[in-house]
Amino acid sequence: MRRKKRISLLLSILCFNVLMCLLLAGCNDGQGTKTGDTEREKKDSGHKTIKIGYQKNGPLVILKSLGSLEKHLKPKGYEVEWKEFTAGPALLEALNVGSIDFGRTGDSPPIFAQAADAPFVYVAAGKTKVEGSGILVPEDSGIKSLEDLRGKKIGFAKGSSSHYLLVKALKKAGISYKDIKPSFLQPGDARVAFEKGNIDAWVVWDPFTADTQINSKARMLVNGEGLTTDRDFFLANIEFERNHSEAVDIIVDEIEKSSDWANENHEELVAMLSPLLKIDERSLLMSAERRIYGVEPLTEEIVKEQQEIADTYFEMKIIPKKINVQDTVDQGRMAKK
């Protein structure tokens, strides 16, 4: 009997506690939960964090450093999160899996990404930058012409704009891709290999070319002129672009403004970038003076340039299938005829 009373008492206490919890929850509802989940609050308020992938050597690092994008997106309910990548292929993979919403790469990474069915769209193009991209050899190297690259070990980032530049250079020299020894290296590792003599030549872009020319006794065998247009491309995850087109417009507009600033303020630009890139100002000034930052609308000619790259990679069996670049172009952002 005493046991039954004890159980009854415990049940009464339990019911009372449950009732109080429900009453407290009801009181909190409508007043706001002081310790509510931050992400849920952001979602309920329409808040969105835009994740942007950038490389230290590209135009987006200038935009990031100036801080103007955040000022223009904040009134629209957006915050910006920046994620750094050493090269375009890794950035495209992040765009593919949704780790970033927007990014910039060279010309080749989007080709590889499309061949892998990544869900992205081209939203704008950059201006050509052929003077600062090229093939470097040691100053005292016996390699004097493209024809001398036959049988040589050449370092470059696989799937990057340098990959295509090398392909075109070899074709011009009548050398088969099979007649060189490719060494797939990211810029940091390639620089070490180049300085140690572990590779005979290195295909890379500014500011790495300028830095190596000035500080590592490198000679530019050829630059990209006549071989490739070597453009930047600004890309967005397809779902992000569909749902946040206004934000994409703002990003592209701010890239253009920050590019204009960079073109007009070389001294301030190199002073800003030098501590970020850990590259001396002299090298950065050389890099800045041989390129024009900017944004161009997508045109049929630019799409044709990309299609030629895609077709070349397919013919060489570097990508597994033939692709149509036009399929990944945001048609609403194509320049009007």
Side-chain angles (χ1 to χ4, degrees), residues 144-260:
K144 305 298 182 183
S145 67
L146 289 176
E147 288 75 16
D148 295 332
L149 292 174
R150 190 186 303 273
K152 297 298 189 292
K153 189 173 184 179
I154 305 174
F156 58 94
K158 185 177 183 180
S160 70
S161 58
S162 293
H163 195 156
Y164 183 66
L165 194 159
L166 176 62
V167 167
K168 294 292 286 185
L170 294 175
K171 185 176 182 180
K172 182 179 180 179
I175 301 173
S176 169
Y177 188 74
K178 296 178 181 178
D179 291 334
I180 66 158
K181 301 170 184 176
S183 183
F184 302 135
L185 296 168
Q186 294 302 320
D189 294 330
R191 175 70 175 269
V192 174
F194 183 83
E195 292 177 344
K196 289 185 175 181
N198 295 332
I199 53 177
D200 301 301
W202 178 24
V203 195
V204 71
W205 53 85
D206 262 338
F208 303 114
T209 44
D211 186 24
T212 311
Q213 283 177 278
I214 289 175
N215 297 304
S216 298
K217 297 182 179 180
R219 170 166 48 89
M220 182 85 85
L221 183 66
V222 294
N223 63 23
E225 191 166 0
L227 299 173
T228 175
T229 55
D230 193 18
R231 295 183 185 275
D232 290 327
F233 283 98
F234 302 99
L235 316 162
N237 178 280
I238 192 167
E239 287 300 320
F240 177 79
E241 202 285 330
R242 285 173 181 168
N243 297 324
H244 303 276
S245 182
E246 182 185 12
V248 173
D249 290 340
I250 293 172
I251 294 170
V252 173
D253 187 51
E254 289 305 310
I255 293 170
E256 188 165 13
K257 290 177 183 176
S258 62
S259 295
D260 290 342

Side-chain angles (χ1 to χ4, degrees), residues 5 19 56 90 97 108 173 197 240:
K5 285 183 178 180
L19 179 60
K56 278 187 176 180
V97 300
S108 290
F240 177 79

Side-chain angles (χ1 to χ4, degrees), residues 30-317:
Q31 295 179 4
T33 307
K34 294 182 180 179
T35 57
D37 182 83
T38 304
E39 293 303 317
R40 182 177 177 182
E41 288 175 354
K42 289 179 179 179
K43 185 176 180 181
D44 291 343
S45 64
H47 176 95
K48 170 68 180 178
T49 297
I50 299 176
K51 295 166 288 185
I52 299 179
Y54 73 99
Q55 298 175 60
K56 278 187 176 180
N57 59 294
L60 289 183
V61 76
I62 299 172
L63 178 60
K64 176 181 182 292
S65 299
L66 292 176
S68 60
L69 181 61
E70 289 83 349
K71 294 177 183 178
H72 286 82
L73 284 175
K74 190 172 182 179
K76 303 291 184 181
Y78 294 93
E79 290 185 0
V80 181
E81 180 181 333
W82 297 90
K83 296 191 176 184
E84 183 187 329
F85 295 85
T86 56
L91 187 150
L92 259 298
E93 178 57 28
L95 199 69
N96 179 25
V97 300
S99 296
I100 60 172
D101 304 306
F102 186 95
R104 164 266 163 210
T105 73
D107 51 24
S108 290
I111 302 297
F112 286 80
Q114 185 178 353
D117 300 317
F120 75 95
V121 288
Y122 292 85
V123 297
K127 296 184 181 296
T128 63
K129 50 186 194 304
V130 293
E131 289 187 33
S133 299
I135 302 175
L136 297 176
V137 296
E139 199 170 54
D140 58 356
S141 171
I143 300 173
K144 305 298 182 183
S145 67
L146 289 176
E147 288 75 16
D148 295 332
L149 292 174
R150 190 186 303 273
K152 297 298 189 292
K153 189 173 184 179
I154 305 174
F156 58 94
K158 185 177 183 180
S160 70
S161 58
S162 293
H163 195 156
Y164 183 66
L165 194 159
L166 176 62
V167 167
K168 294 292 286 185
L170 294 175
K171 185 176 182 180
K172 182 179 180 179
I175 301 173
S176 169
Y177 188 74
K178 296 178 181 178
D179 291 334
I180 66 158
K181 301 170 184 176
S183 183
F184 302 135
L185 296 168
Q186 294 302 320
D189 294 330
R191 175 70 175 269
V192 174
F194 183 83
E195 292 177 344
K196 289 185 175 181
N198 295 332
I199 53 177
D200 301 301
W202 178 24
V203 195
V204 71
W205 53 85
D206 262 338
F208 303 114
T209 44
D211 186 24
T212 311
Q213 283 177 278
I214 289 175
N215 297 304
S216 298
K217 297 182 179 180
R219 170 166 48 89
M220 182 85 85
L221 183 66
V222 294
N223 63 23
E225 191 166 0
L227 299 173
T228 175
T229 55
D230 193 18
R231 295 183 185 275
D232 290 327
F233 283 98
F234 302 99
L235 316 162
N237 178 280
I238 192 167
E239 287 300 320
F240 177 79
E241 202 285 330
R242 285 173 181 168
N243 297 324
H244 303 276
S245 182
E246 182 185 12
V248 173
D249 290 340
I250 293 172
I251 294 170
V252 173
D253 187 51
E254 289 305 310
I255 293 170
E256 188 165 13
K257 290 177 183 176
S258 62
S259 295
D260 290 342
W261 177 88
N263 293 330
E264 296 167 4
N265 299 276
H266 282 173
E267 289 187 9
E268 292 90 336
L269 174 67
V270 300
M272 180 178 74
L273 294 181
S274 183
L276 294 174
L277 304 182
K278 294 180 174 57
I279 293 177
D280 64 276
E281 293 189 11
R282 184 182 169 200
S283 298
L284 290 173
L285 185 59
M286 175 190 279
S287 173
E289 289 179 341
R290 61 187 182 189
R291 76 170 290 174
I292 297 175
Y293 291 98
V295 177
E296 293 187 0
L298 298 165
T299 64
E300 290 185 2
E301 184 61 33
I302 289 174
V303 173
K304 185 179 177 181
E305 290 172 7
Q306 282 295 90
Q307 189 63 55
E308 182 180 343
I309 297 173
D311 291 343
T312 299
Y313 282 147
F314 175 69
E315 290 164 7
M316 296 179 66
K317 298 181 180 179

